[in-house]
Amino acid sequence: MIDLNADLGEGFGRWHLTDDEQLLSVVTSANVACGFHAGDPVTMRRVCELAAERGVRVGAQVSYRDLAGFGRRAMDVPPAELAAEVAYQIGALEVFARAAGTRVSYVKPHGALYNRIVHDREQAAAVIEGVLLADASLPVLGLPGSVVLELAAKAGLPAVAEAFADRAYTDEGTLVPRGRDGAVITDPDAVVERSLSLARSGVVTALSGARIEVRARSLCLHGDTPGAVELARRVRERLLESGVSVEAFA
């Protein structure tokens, strides 16, 4: 059993990055940008309505306050400020989710924040504090073995591990930084087969060529890559053909 999630609502004003409507026909969970790295009230409302119509779970994709850098720039935010901003983003999305007849079902940090809280205990604790402020029942989606999932579990929040079929891994099971050669897997056939391997055996080939274990309940399909919709469809079809059940975790 595997969940398929994608980053959606990553637009701002007249600028649109992802094909939200088409991807929502494929994924089971939608990580909706909450306005800090992308997204605006109109976009958030529209994506929540589309997700509710299709029975797709709505997740808050929280980020550092970094519209210009798409949330991918390293930032040092005081813990109290970060906790408040995480809670604020979740609350904003919850308004639109409720209006659409659904609710925020989980939280997934984005970009630089996602990578920071794999190892940074102080920033991870601030994220967990923000989630607890917003809703003490929300699952947190993150990298297997990360500090944020450890702290989520200690706080009584469901900790859900995810994997990336189109991102390269280090031998330690972390994501290869985007600035390095080979960090993003661009061959569609390779992405499909990596998806199947992750879903069925929890194993993937690292950038070094080593086979490493990555046990995950959810698989992220990036929506901002060329041909993202068709690739997502291929991944889902391949999983179903191979007997893997595609179901939301939340």
Side-chain angles (χ1 to χ4, degrees):
M1 184 185 299
I2 196 78
D3 167 73
L4 297 179
N5 77 78
D7 302 345
L8 301 178
E10 291 184 325
F12 191 81
R14 296 178 63 184
W15 171 68
H16 297 282
L17 181 63
T18 52
D19 189 342
D20 298 330
E21 188 163 1
Q22 293 301 315
L23 283 167
L24 283 166
S25 68
V26 180
V27 300
T28 44
S29 297
N31 317 317
V32 183
C34 298
F36 273 38
H37 75 281
D40 58 33
V42 172
T43 303
M44 292 162 68
R45 181 180 183 182
R46 177 178 56 82
V47 175
C48 285
E49 290 172 346
L50 290 171
E53 288 172 6
R54 292 160 173 75
V56 175
R57 302 295 188 271
V58 171
Q61 188 166 40
V62 298
S63 169
Y64 286 129
R65 189 191 292 268
D66 181 27
L67 273 177
F70 197 61
R72 287 180 176 164
R73 298 186 292 190
M75 305 183 77
D76 290 314
V77 180
E81 183 177 335
L82 180 58
E85 291 189 340
V86 166
Y88 177 91
Q89 291 175 78
I90 297 168
L93 186 64
E94 178 70 6
V95 169
F96 298 118
R98 292 283 185 182
T102 184
R103 60 182 294 270
V104 172
S105 297
Y106 65 95
V107 177
K108 176 183 173 177
H110 165 81
L113 180 59
Y114 185 97
N115 292 323
R116 179 80 171 264
I117 58 180
V118 171
H119 301 295
D120 190 317
R121 188 166 292 272
E122 183 178 63
Q123 293 280 280
V127 169
I128 297 304
E129 181 184 347
V131 176
L132 292 171
L133 278 171
D135 185 339
S137 69
L138 289 176
V140 176
L141 190 59
L143 205 67
S146 61
V147 169
V148 72
L149 290 191
E150 173 198 333
L151 296 182
K154 286 182 178 179
L157 300 171
V160 183
E162 73 168 336
F164 297 80
D166 63 352
R167 289 293 308 278
Y169 281 85
T170 67
D171 289 357
E172 292 73 37
T174 58
L175 298 179
V176 174
R178 282 183 175 269
R180 285 182 55 187
D181 289 342
V184 179
I185 312 300
T186 57
D187 179 1
D189 292 335
V191 173
V192 171
E193 292 310 310
R194 285 166 69 89
S195 299
L196 184 60
S197 179
L198 285 163
R200 297 193 68 176
S201 62
V203 173
V204 70
T205 301
L207 187 61
S208 68
R211 298 281 284 173
I212 62 170
E213 184 174 270
V214 181
R215 297 284 178 183
R217 174 64 179 84
S218 186
L219 185 65
C220 181
L221 304 174
H222 281 109
D224 59 350
T225 53
V229 173
E230 182 56 34
L231 180 57
R233 287 191 178 123
R234 284 188 59 192
V235 167
R236 181 173 179 131
E237 289 170 3
R238 184 78 170 93
L239 292 171
L240 293 173
E241 289 169 358
S242 301
V244 178
S245 177
V246 177
E247 296 182 21
F249 65 84

